[in-house]
Amino acid sequence: EDIGTTNPRPFMSKAPVVPMSSPPSVEMTPPGSSAYVSPSQQDLANPSAVKTKRVKATIFADEEDNLRFVNLVVSHSLKMLFLVCSLTILITYLLFSVVFAAGNPITDDTYTYDIGDARSVAFDSFTLAGRDVGEQFQAALGMITGGAGLPSANVTEFKKMVLGGGEGEADVLANFNHRGYDYGLSSWSDAEIDGVASAYADMATSGNQSYFFTAAADAVTLPLSETGDFTYWIYEAQNGDVFSPEGLLVMDEAETMFTSQPDWDQWCMREYEDPTDPSSSYACARSLSALNAFKASSWNQTLAQSIMDRLDAPVPGVTPMPQSILDMSDDFDAFNGREVYQLLGFCTMFGLGCDIFSLPPFSVPPSPPVFSAADVDLMKAFAHDLDADFKAVTDLWDGTGNINDNPRDVSLFAAYMKELPSQAFKVDFFFDKDFSRANPVSAYSRSITFWGAPLLPQNLISSTAGKNEDDMEKITGDSRKKYVMDGTRGLFKKMEQIADTGHSPHINAFYFMRVLMFDVFITILANDGMFAALSIAVVYLYMRYMIGSWFLANVGFLEIIMSIPTAWFFAETVFQVDYFSSLNPLCLFIVAAIGADDIFVFMDAYKQSAYKGVEINRSLQSRMSYVYRRAGTAMLITSATTCSAFLCTVASPIASTKSFGIFAALVILMDYALVMTMFCTAVVIYHDYFEHPGVNCCVQCACVCCCPCVPAVDPADRTTAKARAGQLDEEGQDRITLFYKGPFTDFVLDPVRRFASIGALMVWLGVAFYFMLQLEPTKKAEEFLAEDHPLQRAITILNEEFPVASDDRGAKMYFVWGVGEVDRSGVNQMLDDSYIGKPTFDSSFTLTAACQQKIYDYVQEIRIDANNRYDAYVKTDATGMPAVESWLDELKDWVEGGGSPLYEDCARNPQREGYTFPVEDAKVKEAIVRFAYEPTCSTEREYPGEMMFEKYSDTSRGTGLLGKSFGFDGMNLRMAAVSLESSVLDPWSEIAETKAMEQYNFMMSEAKLIDDRMAAECGPVMMTDVDQKFVMMNNQKIFRTSAVSGAMIGCAIAFVVILISTYNFFVAAFATTSILCVLISVVGAVTMAGWTLGTITAILISILAGFSVDYVVHLAHAFVSTPGDNEARVRGAFSDMGVSVMSGMLTSILASLPLFMCKIKFFASFGIFLCATIAFSWTFANLFFMGLLATFDVMKYSFGKSDVGHTKG
């Protein structure tokens, strides 16, 4: 009764055992013999040798209290191992057949957000509406052209074909609506139908000069006329100024390596004199580089100094600005030429804002204006002169001269230009955020060299004829890459030399090039993959060292690996979870640590069972039943606790987090199941065949297969027989077990040492708690790579050291009319990861004349920005004005036949049916149809450009989704939008939550301002973006707020599970307190290390509880399962579980160390976090938790079956 056996389940009865004599020896029989008896059965070859008390058999146990499953395993160990291995392999095969059938099984992270949040609702409403409108447009276009050419020019015939009109009134709308699209034609008036039909019929004739129906068919993209790639250089000064003479030499070396090649004109982006004629003359596009100024073909310092002097002095003849007005302004300390040109530069260059001096504070009726008409004329003439002089200087910035002998002169002149809105766009790209007139020194600079596309046929590595767009792009990229990597030119080698940190003592250089980036990332992934593989290899090798058997190590490693596809199979087929998060592969590292820990628990229980007396070792069945009960119960409790901690993520509104939690829980569950089946069976085979020290390790390695490849060990030499014969003693146990049972237990039981340890941990906990409270949300973009990696260094410089320049791409913020909130009916991302809702439209939206005028006036107000409202939120464009885009500007210019300063020198289609702006309500549908198929003048390429319906569709660089400003479906304008380009947010990087929230609040206030002004005319406006900047902002908030709360919920669940398993409130409370201490310690430690609460940290904290429960739960279960007083229980707990806990800790820490060297920040952070969590978990479980149990007599407060296997009291 009191020999240390455990009985963790009610159905496993206890029976006193009568001591028996040793069994007689059993003669060995070859495995192939018909008289062969399995080695395990040979332990009981003589039934009379062992007498045991019979108990009542149950469904789980036989009359000898041996588990029936264990009896099956012992009797048919080889078959069982073969069966389990075959089953897991079959499951893996079926899984791969299902999930990889459609390609990449990992769910795209485009919709990784809270679908109920206002930001995601707006995002999906806009992008889904844009997709729907695009599909309707293509359907309408197919109906109109009929697939057999252009429609008839006859209006009546056209109506009959498209609308089913004329004689077939009953079939009206049938042609269009049969595809399921509702074009709303039934509500149109006859005049509107006639107008739209006439528009389409007119476009069928060449006389209309429609770009779509005539020129587009013959349009040819000229060779190398588009941007095919770019070489992006980033420079960092080591001595303060990147534009020192030495720094300029390095920049020149980098930027001319391509442009100086004799065949560069066969690869560069070309600027043709006639963009429609491939035979016209051309020149290579000039690099976007400050070297163009520092290597100007001619530098007129006298003129440059004159400009700066005039900007610093008052404008001659102009009335001085009253001090009272200056005091009212936050922008002006004086009113010199600089301030005049800042106000009038747009007027004299683009004809915008010329009435600025008739507005407050310069004119506040009934007081007379500050400046007379004569003053205004003088200031305009002054601004005109400056325009001409700036142009005279900058037109010579062509990069064809020598490097300027006095680069400081050029820098100072650029600093003056940077303060002038109408000139800043020429220089703001090249200088860092601290560069100014007061500090004309830039520590950083950047440049772009443009490569052309499509490539010349002779430069392609293979023909692109008949290839799809993706194949053509690959061929083009590979051809360009071959040119760069060609060893005879040495271009790539030279790029690497310049980018080497030892190349120059003056500046560091970093580069990007799209065709090379793939190789860079592959190198990074290969490097990190090597360290990840090393991490898993460490688990395997340490497992082999601790177990002492190659065979068991192989089987154990196999079951760890197979738990991944097995869990995936059940998630996909049984639970129908279609969402597979990109976080899920992390479960390999999680299960490697936890799975190894489970194997150690099982194996240690097996090894220690040999020292548990005759009753336990009366047969292999009884011994393995003991092992199965003890290890199985301990692992079941920890697995249940860990699974529950991971399942806490189900409460997250983010699907990827839910998916990860569910998958991680299933992996832990499958690992438990495989340890209790596959590994248990392997241990029986190990006992029978490999436990004898004479078995060759190579044979053990080879025999993972289910065949008796070596003779069975003599029964007398098996540990079970030796234990039954009393031939084993505790001195033969491994040193770690003896250390835990002896010196370590003595240390914990010694009051002085125990209290000193707990006191030291409390001091640390106080420090850690203080630092935990200092943890703040991240204030900058999170790094993807290690901060010392050249690529990450370049990205960091771009994100943090440069202002958003006119040539930079900012994230577009859209203000949309005509779109309703997305319909989320039937959305369940876990079961269907591709469906996120159905778009809806505001049926009352119509672009009336009043709405047109309101939107147009609003856009012009932004461009003038008299009150500088948009300075901190909207970037400037190439004109120096706030970057606002509205297709209504182009509609107005088209209606009026051109002439707008925004579309200078752009010819418009003369056949415009005599519209005026704003287009009257009765003609707006017809006008929109005609306008949609006209070529835009707002394009980077020369006229004619894209069609209007193409131009005003913006594809996100980050998500690939479409945002349509001009929502034309082929017959109607379903939606319309105006966009502002952010000066802080860009399409690629993830910005800190606090900065994004500042931008969001401003844009929402702007939406309210718009609604206040024009809701009556245009309907309600919706604000969103297509790059998910605000969606990601909300994700950061969710991760931040749910990180600690998720960990706390995990602790609460751990408390409940431990309470149920130990029947002791204080044991559960002490264990949960230990887990909380681990949480505080880890968070405090990473805060000390300089971490902030970004997405990576938040994700890791949210799964902290799942990692930190195992050790304390193992020791808690062992403590209550051991009979006796506190000292006996502490010794028993350390004796039974100490070595398992130590082995698990060492495995996890050793496995985490290779991850420290990963270049991808998430993996490196994961490794650090795992190491810290495991180290603190082991420390607090062994010293704090066990110290408390050694101090307080908690078992007298137990209830129920408190000490599992022993009756209380």
Side-chain angles (χ1 to χ4, degrees), residues 494-513:
K494 193 171 183 180
M495 292 173 72
E496 290 287 280
Q497 289 174 348
I498 294 173
D500 189 278
T501 53
H503 180 71
S504 169
H506 306 286
I507 67 172
N508 296 322
F510 312 93
Y511 69 85
F512 297 105
M513 190 170 178

Side-chain angles (χ1 to χ4, degrees), residues 535-822:
S535 175
I536 301 301
V538 167
V539 173
Y540 170 75
L541 293 174
Y542 186 77
M543 193 162 57
R544 160 61 186 88
Y545 171 75
M546 289 303 301
I547 293 175
S549 165
W550 287 107
F551 172 74
L552 288 180
N554 289 338
V555 175
F557 190 72
L558 176 65
E559 75 83 7
I560 289 173
I561 297 300
M562 297 307 286
S563 63
I564 298 285
T566 306
W568 195 350
F569 176 81
F570 278 94
E572 184 78 25
T573 60
V574 178
F575 299 103
Q576 297 292 300
V577 176
D578 192 41
Y579 199 111
F580 192 80
S581 171
S582 57
L583 292 172
N584 289 6
L586 284 179
C587 291
L588 176 60
F589 299 99
I590 295 172
V591 75
I594 294 177
D597 180 60
D598 286 348
I599 287 172
F600 291 142
V601 169
F602 195 97
M603 200 60 198
D604 290 338
Y606 169 77
K607 290 180 178 179
Q608 293 169 15
S609 66
Y611 306 96
K612 294 298 182 180
V614 175
E615 180 183 350
I616 299 299
N617 291 278
R618 67 180 184 271
S619 68
L620 184 57
Q621 287 92 333
S622 63
R623 180 182 178 185
M624 289 305 299
S625 293
Y626 164 82
V627 173
Y628 206 86
R629 285 176 172 127
R630 181 186 129 177
T633 304
M635 290 187 293
L636 179 64
I637 296 171
T638 55
S639 296
T641 309
T642 306
C643 287
S644 299
F646 281 119
L647 286 175
C648 291
T649 59
V650 173
S652 172
I654 298 178
S656 62
T657 307
K658 289 182 184 179
S659 171
F660 170 71
I662 293 172
F663 187 72
L666 283 174
V667 168
I668 300 305
L669 181 62
M670 290 301 106
D671 174 73
Y672 173 76
L674 290 177
V675 170
M676 300 303 290
T677 53
M678 183 187 293
F679 190 75
C680 172
T681 307
V683 170
V684 173
I685 296 174
Y686 168 75
H687 172 273
D688 292 344
Y689 291 97
F690 303 124
E691 193 168 14
H692 193 278
V695 179
N696 186 278
C697 66
C698 294
V699 174
Q700 293 195 41
C701 277
C703 289
V704 181
C705 55
C706 303
C707 61
C709 49
V710 292
V713 177
D714 189 316
D717 289 334
R718 297 176 198 144
T719 54
T720 303
K722 289 182 178 180
R724 189 168 56 243
Q727 298 174 5
L728 299 178
D729 58 63
E730 295 193 359
E731 295 300 322
Q733 291 181 296
D734 61 84
R735 286 176 291 180
I736 298 179
T737 301
L738 295 176
F739 168 75
Y740 262 99
K741 292 177 67 174
F744 191 83
T745 303
D746 294 339
F747 179 89
V748 174
L749 290 174
D750 185 297
V752 176
R753 296 176 179 175
R754 180 169 72 244
F755 291 132
S757 300
I758 294 175
L761 289 175
M762 289 301 97
V763 171
W764 156 253
L765 198 64
V767 175
F769 184 75
Y770 169 79
F771 277 96
M772 184 184 75
L773 297 179
Q774 311 307 310
L775 183 64
E776 296 180 339
T778 186
K779 292 183 172 59
K780 62 179 183 178
E782 293 196 75
E783 296 172 337
F784 174 71
L785 300 172
E787 63 179 8
D788 60 344
H789 192 279
L791 184 57
Q792 183 59 58
R793 181 61 186 149
I795 293 172
T796 301
I797 290 172
L798 288 176
N799 285 340
E800 298 181 5
E801 302 300 338
F802 290 100
V804 178
S806 57
D807 290 295
D808 285 320
R809 164 79 184 273
K812 286 187 176 181
M813 308 293 116
Y814 290 86
F815 298 90
V816 189
W817 294 271
V819 175
E821 287 192 358
V822 61

Side-chain angles (χ1 to χ4, degrees), residues 849-865 870 884 886 888-889 892 917-918 978 1009 1013-1014:
C851 180
Q852 296 170 48
Q853 192 63 55
K854 286 281 189 178
I855 296 175
Y856 178 81
D857 291 342
Y858 167 70
V859 170
Q860 303 318 304
E861 187 176 312
I862 294 175
R863 287 204 174 100
I864 297 171
D865 194 19
Y870 302 96
V884 56
S886 170
L888 284 166
D889 289 331
K892 182 176 184 294
F917 187 86
V978 169
L1009 182 149
R1013 291 188 181 183
M1014 59 186 85

Side-chain angles (χ1 to χ4, degrees), residues 41 79 171 174 208 214 362 458 546 548 649 684 691 699 731 814 861 888 920 924 977 1059 1094 1097 1133 1191:
Q41 292 290 346
K79 295 178 182 177
D171 296 326
N208 182 264
T214 57
F362 306 109
Q458 64 267 28
M546 289 303 301
T649 59
V684 173
E691 193 168 14
V699 174
E731 295 300 322
Y814 290 86
E861 187 176 312
L888 284 166
E920 59 184 285
V924 70
L1059 180 64
T1097 309
T1191 303

Side-chain angles (χ1 to χ4, degrees), residues 106-253:
I106 298 179
T107 300
D108 182 78
D109 61 0
T110 300
Y111 302 113
T112 303
Y113 46 69
D114 177 7
I115 62 173
D117 181 68
R119 270 77 51 156
S120 64
V121 168
F123 171 81
D124 288 335
S125 299
F126 181 48
T127 55
L128 290 177
R131 183 183 68 185
D132 194 63
V133 166
E135 291 174 354
Q136 291 191 41
F137 174 81
Q138 292 301 324
L141 191 60
M143 293 300 299
I144 292 166
T145 61
L150 301 176
S152 169
N154 182 279
V155 175
T156 302
E157 291 299 318
F158 179 81
K159 288 173 62 177
K160 187 181 297 184
M161 180 182 67
V162 177
L163 303 179
E167 298 176 355
E169 293 293 340
D171 296 326
V172 172
L173 312 181
N175 283 340
F176 271 78
N177 292 344
H178 82 281
R179 299 190 183 211
Y181 297 121
D182 179 12
Y183 292 87
L185 305 182
S186 58
S187 63
W188 285 24
S189 67
D190 290 341
E192 289 175 327
I193 292 176
D194 286 341
V196 171
S198 297
Y200 271 116
D202 285 350
M203 286 188 288
T205 67
S206 59
N208 182 264
Q209 300 177 19
S210 166
Y211 177 59
F212 175 66
F213 287 103
T214 57
D218 301 321
V220 177
T221 302
L222 303 189
L224 301 170
S225 61
E226 297 180 337
T227 303
D229 204 340
F230 55 82
T231 304
Y232 203 130
W233 284 99
I234 300 100
Y235 308 104
E236 177 187 36
Q238 298 188 44
N239 58 0
D241 189 3
V242 75
F243 295 113
S244 65
E246 298 82 4
L248 288 168
L249 287 173
V250 176
M251 294 168 65
D252 188 51
E253 179 186 9

Side-chain angles (χ1 to χ4, degrees), residues 186-381:
S186 58
S187 63
W188 285 24
S189 67
D190 290 341
E192 289 175 327
I193 292 176
D194 286 341
V196 171
S198 297
Y200 271 116
D202 285 350
M203 286 188 288
T205 67
S206 59
N208 182 264
Q209 300 177 19
S210 166
Y211 177 59
F212 175 66
F213 287 103
T214 57
D218 301 321
V220 177
T221 302
L222 303 189
L224 301 170
S225 61
E226 297 180 337
T227 303
D229 204 340
F230 55 82
T231 304
Y232 203 130
W233 284 99
I234 300 100
Y235 308 104
E236 177 187 36
Q238 298 188 44
N239 58 0
D241 189 3
V242 75
F243 295 113
S244 65
E246 298 82 4
L248 288 168
L249 287 173
V250 176
M251 294 168 65
D252 188 51
E253 179 186 9
E255 294 174 29
T256 59
M257 75 166 68
F258 295 117
T259 60
S260 62
Q261 293 295 312
D263 58 348
W264 174 238
D265 65 331
Q266 305 296 304
W267 297 90
C268 69
M269 188 176 78
R270 295 176 177 178
E271 294 178 341
Y272 286 86
E273 184 176 344
D274 182 352
T276 64
D277 182 6
S279 64
S280 66
S281 60
Y282 62 83
C284 287
R286 191 180 302 163
S287 296
L288 187 61
S289 170
L291 279 180
N292 292 330
F294 288 92
K295 292 178 61 179
S297 56
S298 178
W299 174 254
N300 189 339
Q301 177 61 25
T302 302
L303 180 57
Q305 188 61 54
S306 170
I307 293 172
M308 293 185 284
D309 291 342
R310 280 178 279 166
L311 290 170
D312 288 335
V315 178
V318 174
T319 303
M321 173 81 79
Q323 188 61 43
S324 59
I325 302 296
L326 288 174
D327 293 340
M328 293 171 56
S329 173
D330 295 329
D331 302 309
F332 302 145
D333 295 324
F335 198 72
N336 295 322
R338 178 178 301 101
E339 288 71 29
V340 170
Y341 194 68
Q342 286 172 342
L343 293 170
L344 288 176
F346 292 142
C347 171
T348 54
M349 289 185 69
F350 307 108
L352 297 174
C354 293
D355 59 348
I356 187 69
F357 290 114
S358 65
L359 301 173
F362 306 109
S363 179
V364 183
S367 301
V370 173
F371 298 109
S372 65
D375 287 334
V376 173
D377 288 341
L378 283 172
M379 288 188 286
K380 288 182 179 179

